[in-house]
Amino acid sequence: LIKEENKNDYQIFKTSLTEGFKERLTMENELHKAIKNQDFELFFQPQIEMKSKKIIGLEALCRWNHPEKGLIPPKEFIPLSEKTGLIVELGDWVIREACRQNKLWQDLGLPKVKVSVNLSARQFLQRDLVRNIESILNETGLDPQYLELEITESMAMSNEQFIIETLKGFQQLGVNVALDDFGTGYSSLKYISQFPLSKLKIDRLFIQNRTEQNVAIVKTIIHLSHSLNLKVIAEGVENEEDLLFLNGENCDEVQGFYFSKPVPVKEVDLLFNKKLS
Ligand code: C2E
Ligand code: MG
Ligand code: MG
Ligand code: MG
């Protein structure tokens, strides 16, 4: 009897393993197709300068516009894209599309703001990334000062020299780099002071769960940023209390649902007419 049960367990295990594998394969195939058909869409979330209360940036956030399933959030396809290497092509599309769109808005007379693009680790390790971004800027005609790249701490660990060279390449192009989800990864003060960065982005974890410790961490990150001549932005600002707290701590910029969720392209102009606080 015990033997039978074990056998069943194994069957179930084997079946679910196969199912998971099939699912992954299907998704991988669909992702390939989606990239070919450009079935992706960028949403944009405003970044607000505390001092002026004005929008100074828009973060581009990718969604997969699936023919049957509708809009799929990035956490459901970015990891697989990263694993399979598809992220390189997808990421390239995201940068080009974000630059093209930002230039278009500027030409249409919207206030000039930065567009922030998230880079994945694999994408960042591409040898020709800097040259690639340079040609995208040339093709789209976007002034480099209006592009910002967001990298995470996780990629800041491997191959230090290569990372510094890439970051210097961005600096020479006139493109700013922000360190995203700051505080959740392998922060090393050595890297933060050595890397040519322009901004730290405090992870929303610290904003949304304001324990005594997290408050202390937020204060420290803001002080650290300013001592190193970096700007600092907080993500995940959902209500007025969050905003008041960050304002009191001298945080330079804020981003979060309190101002706006990420919106599709056609709603971006409305953000600029809306009174923000
Ligand atoms: P992220 O770069 O940290 O982006 C911020 C995420 O937090 C976004 O989720 C945004 O919708 C969400 N968010 C913003 N404000 C609030 C708030 O007040 N409260 C809460 N609860 N959430 C808020 P989204 O769009 O689902 O993106 C998730 C992650 O996927 C991003 O995190 C980024 O790491 C990744 N991602 C998105 N687009 C791209 C892309 O084009 N390329 C790469 N490599 N990664 C991307
Ligand atoms: Mg980001
Ligand atoms: Mg973030
Ligand atoms: Mg985050």
Side-chain angles (χ1 to χ4, degrees):
L1 190 71
I2 290 167
K3 244 186 177 170
E4 271 308 300
E5 267 175 20
N6 279 347
K7 205 173 140 199
N8 280 345
D9 281 355
Y10 176 67
Q11 267 317 113
I12 290 163
F13 173 70
K14 211 173 92 181
T15 314
S16 65
L17 197 73
T18 323
E19 287 292 297
F21 184 67
K22 267 197 234 151
E23 214 171 276
R24 195 193 134 164
L25 263 188
T26 311
M27 191 165 168
E28 208 177 313
N29 284 332
E30 287 187 340
L31 257 179
H32 268 289
K33 263 186 257 160
I35 286 171
K36 223 173 57 210
N37 302 338
Q38 307 200 333
D39 285 340
F40 296 93
E41 198 177 325
L42 294 184
F43 275 49
F44 294 88
Q45 188 182 33
Q47 302 176 321
I48 288 98
E49 185 180 54
M50 205 71 98
K51 197 170 57 196
S52 63
K53 296 197 171 71
K54 284 193 172 132
I55 297 175
I56 50 144
L58 295 165
E59 180 172 6
L61 295 155
C62 190
R63 276 92 181 92
W64 178 1
N65 207 340
H66 192 281
E68 286 117 43
K69 296 178 192 151
L71 285 181
I72 303 180
K75 68 171 191 311
E76 286 174 36
F77 64 90
I78 294 284
L80 183 62
S81 317
E82 173 94 11
K83 235 178 272 161
T84 55
L86 285 168
I87 192 72
V88 174
E89 216 178 313
L90 174 58
D92 206 70
W93 178 84
V94 171
I95 301 167
R96 181 169 282 103
E97 188 56 19
C99 291
R100 189 194 63 78
Q101 189 56 250
N102 198 21
K103 178 69 165 88
L104 186 65
W105 281 322
Q106 296 188 349
D107 290 347
L108 289 171
L110 283 187
K112 290 188 177 186
V113 300
K114 267 189 280 220
V115 70
S116 301
V117 175
N118 294 285
L119 294 185
S120 79
R122 184 122 173 205
Q123 207 183 348
F124 189 80
L125 293 174
Q126 291 290 299
R127 290 271 149 201
D128 49 2
L129 183 64
V130 175
R131 262 179 298 142
N132 234 358
I133 290 181
E134 184 176 25
S135 56
I136 289 174
L137 288 166
N138 287 332
E139 279 166 42
T140 57
L142 182 70
D143 185 330
Q145 66 171 304
Y146 295 115
L147 172 65
E148 182 171 80
L149 303 170
E150 295 191 2
I151 63 170
T152 58
E153 295 166 286
S154 58
M155 68 183 79
M157 286 300 114
S158 55
N159 208 343
E160 189 180 342
Q161 206 42 50
F162 176 77
I163 288 159
I164 292 186
E165 264 155 43
T166 303
L167 290 175
K168 279 189 180 150
F170 292 144
Q171 196 178 37
Q172 274 157 14
L173 283 184
V175 170
N176 287 319
V177 178
L179 197 51
D180 203 358
D181 302 337
F182 186 71
T184 60
Y186 315 85
S187 327
S188 152
L189 299 177
K190 175 175 156 242
Y191 290 131
I192 292 153
S193 59
Q194 272 180 5
F195 290 171
L197 298 168
S198 39
K199 198 187 283 182
L200 296 184
K201 236 184 144 172
I202 309 175
D203 194 81
R204 71 163 185 263
L205 169 91
F206 302 107
I207 309 306
Q208 297 186 338
N209 182 18
R210 278 206 296 287
T211 59
E212 205 178 312
Q213 290 91 335
N214 284 348
V215 167
I217 289 170
V218 171
K219 290 182 182 190
T220 306
I221 297 176
I222 294 172
H223 280 292
L224 174 70
S225 306
H226 291 156
S227 327
L228 295 172
N229 262 320
L230 301 173
K231 293 273 179 206
V232 58
I233 181 168
E235 31 177 46
V237 176
E238 291 189 351
N239 51 52
E240 197 172 359
E241 293 79 73
D242 296 345
L243 181 65
L244 288 175
F245 162 62
L246 291 159
N247 193 33
E249 298 305 333
N250 258 325
C251 190
D252 303 307
E253 298 168 18
V254 280
Q255 177 179 350
F257 295 170
Y258 180 62
F259 303 98
S260 170
K261 294 199 166 179
V263 299
V265 167
K266 61 177 188 331
E267 290 173 28
V268 165
D269 57 344
L270 295 174
L271 295 174
F272 288 92
N273 302 327
K274 203 159 81 176
K275 200 172 163 356
L276 288 168
S277 79

